[in-house]
Amino acid sequence: MTQKNRTEISELGEFALIDRLNSRFSPQQPSTLKAAGDDAAVIALDDDNALLVSADTLFEGVDFDLTYFPLKHLGYKAVTVGVSDILAMNALPQQILISLGVSAKLPVEALDDLYEGIRTACTELGVDLAGGDTSASFTGLTIGITAIGRAPKNQITYRSGAKLHDLICITGNLGAAYMGLHLLEREKRVLKDIQNPQPQFEGHEYLLQKYLKPRARKDVVESLAEEKLLPTAMTDISDGLASDLMQICKASCCGARIYLERIPIARQTHEMAEELHNDPVVAALNGGEDHELLFTVPLALRDKIADIGGIDIIGHITEPERGAALITPDGSEIKLKAQGFKE
Amino acid sequence: MTQKNRTEISELGEFALIDRLNSRFSPQQPSTLKAAGDDAAVIALDDDNALLVSADTLFEGVDFDLTYFPLKHLGYKAVTVGVSDILAMNALPQQILISLGVSAKLPVEALDDLYEGIRTACTELGVDLAGGDTSASFTGLTIGITAIGRAPKNQITYRSGAKLHDLICITGNLGAAYMGLHLLEREKRVLKDIQNPQPQFEGHEYLLQKYLKPRARKDVVESLAEEKLLPTAMTDISDGLASDLMQICKASCCGARIYLERIPIARQTHEMAEELHNDPVVAALNGGEDHELLFTVPLALRDKIADIGGIDIIGHITEPERGAALITPDGSEIKLKAQGFKE
């Protein structure tokens, strides 16, 4: 008997796995404008408009820990995670569907809280809860989010449109969500066996909010539209700046140079990093879950980007041969590495 | 300190839970034609057409057992589960998104098999895999399926359209999937501690196929369109005839009478039921997972339904006061009960 081959998922890595699984499919429906390989699928509506659909799942124990994650915030964050994929196509979200797996350990009141958070986010974003599914799960809480949006075809921004010399832009700041997570994990460890634990969160509200209740950057997509400013490529920061920038480089067949001192990192992130003996740049590059937008624009739009405010230009697109690299203040180049999920 | 209320999910039941969670939402987007409460969300495309979107999740240990569920079949079945919700709106599916949670115990080759099954089903149905997401899961395999379809607005069939005296129709036969599952569970128990187990499946291939590799009834939706036959209400049999018929009764504010001897049950289902000392009618009423279509049509269309073939008329719609009941051959009425998920 021949030994059947066994390849561990960790050998291949998340991104190669997704490529491998999707490689045997080729779209047949004329309405499928973009299948796998971007933040959302793009489906033709008519000559001028398209629909965007994305699917994500959040797993208890992997994506959230209910010992410190309030269910109201979790509901809110689930909506952010879903609609960020639509915003990342430069489109506005309109509907979400929630597919829940619930274990018997959660009372109905916990699900009320979860849905209260979902409702708050939906109201803020003008998004409708349009359905879904609830089933039993033996293995903890699972939240599936389908997000649906709409945009004129010529406004949809793919990962694949970055051009040589384009500017690389980032909204908000990076690494704060990662630091919020580490703070929560530290308090959980420290207070593990203590009755009525009193975690020390004063002064860190900003980091906790960035991790527990991140806001989807609908405002940015609206500002870009108001300024008639069309990015060439776009994605959201879900896996970390390094991974997400490399996705743009791969899809656009280009390289990138980003400058360490230009990466926006909040004061609170720096302070927490020092306290935890952590590197804030590593948090910004690999931390993920910031749900900020990463996009490229032609060089000529530099001043217009500055006018919008809250957007930092952190580098530029290069020839593909040069790869994706971080430039330190002393001029040395550090090659970027993608971080997929860990097994 | 006041005691916080705690309501168990099992006290409320699946359907009441879903109603409760969705009750605090009211659609704001004009494009949301139908939110929660049907097989799929309905989103306006233009004056004449709409898009249908549904979301489902399959959980290892709840919806499938990998000890006997071949991954190729599981991939195929996941597509069936997803697109059945679109077909149940009398619409044709065009795209699916797959959102996977994978544990490290599965090798890459297992996921290749899963995707091979997804590909087979997609090819048969003319559906595109349009994207999705893969992430780590600590708790076994989870398959999220978002299905997308399209239909003229005036052809979309809701659960809510059944009218007094309409005929209740069912495609294929019921209970076979349930018997297939029970056969697999029996062989698993019997062969638990045996090396190189040789399960006895001869003669039961039909039941196994109905459970492991059910076909979505796209052919029925196509036949109805060809015959220009528009059902008044429709859903798919996922929870069992009793639950799914009661969903139609609730949405349409009507009652229903179905006749025991008219419920289509396959010979193999009867045989297996006898062998397992099981009631085939219970399997048909409460087994679920048949993925057949349940619909109502005006009385005048009786002959046209007979012309299509493969569709049985099992009863008719009544006044709401009479509730939903099963009539036995001796004329006695048995009130139907909905089966939600069990905790």
Side-chain angles (χ1 to χ4, degrees), chain A residues 10-44:
Chain A
S10 52
E11 284 173 53
L12 207 61
E14 178 185 1
F15 301 115
L17 174 65
I18 293 173
D19 284 349
R20 172 172 168 150
L21 296 178
N22 285 320
S23 67
R24 280 156 239 173
F25 290 79
S26 50
Q28 309 293 326
Q29 291 281 352
S31 64
T32 310
L33 299 182
K34 176 82 191 174
D38 219 306
D39 293 290
V42 184
I43 293 163

Side-chain angles (χ1 to χ4, degrees), chain A residues 53-86:
Chain A
V53 187
S54 75
D56 292 280
T57 312
L58 301 179
F59 296 98
E60 184 176 347
V62 178
D63 297 300
F64 56 89
D65 182 334
L66 286 183
T67 33
Y68 55 70
F69 214 127
L71 281 153
K72 241 178 234 189
H73 290 354
L74 184 60
Y76 186 98
K77 184 169 177 171
V79 179
T80 297
V81 167
V83 303
S84 281
D85 284 330
I86 304 300

Side-chain angles (χ1 to χ4, degrees), chain B residues 165-191:
Chain B
H165 307 311
D166 277 359
L167 301 172
I168 300 169
C169 307
I170 190 88
T171 65
N173 62 75
L174 300 180
Y178 180 84
M179 283 301 162
L181 168 61
H182 276 247
L183 171 63
L184 287 160
E185 288 285 343
R186 182 188 68 176
E187 295 299 301
K188 182 186 169 186
R189 270 195 312 276
V190 169
L191 303 171

Side-chain angles (χ1 to χ4, degrees), chain B residues 218-290:
Chain B
K218 188 188 170 192
D219 58 324
V220 173
V221 172
E222 287 172 335
S223 297
L224 291 171
E226 272 165 34
E227 300 291 325
K228 301 200 190 329
L229 206 158
L230 189 64
T232 47
M234 202 181 217
T235 189
D236 75 322
I237 300 287
S238 52
D239 294 319
L241 175 60
S243 284
D244 293 315
L245 179 59
M246 287 180 75
Q247 295 279 1
I248 286 183
C249 288
K250 189 179 158 200
S252 299
C253 294
C254 65
R257 289 287 164 284
I258 55 173
Y259 296 87
L260 195 150
E261 77 274 17
R262 295 204 202 153
I263 297 174
I265 296 174
R267 177 182 50 78
Q268 296 93 328
T269 304
H270 277 293
E271 287 168 5
M272 193 72 231
E274 198 166 322
E275 196 179 320
L276 294 176
H277 308 291
N278 236 313
D279 184 344
V281 176
V282 171
L285 286 175
N286 299 332
E289 298 203 58
D290 291 307

Side-chain angles (χ1 to χ4, degrees), chain B residues 287-304:
Chain B
E289 298 203 58
D290 291 307
H291 298 293
E292 297 292 344
L293 295 172
L294 172 70
F295 59 93
T296 56
V297 294
L299 195 56
L301 296 178
R302 181 187 292 268
D303 293 344
K304 275 193 130 181

Side-chain angles (χ1 to χ4, degrees), chain B residues 20-38:
Chain B
R20 173 171 168 149
L21 296 178
N22 286 320
S23 67
R24 279 157 238 171
F25 290 80
S26 49
Q28 308 294 325
Q29 292 281 352
S31 63
T32 309
L33 299 183
K34 177 80 191 176
D38 219 306

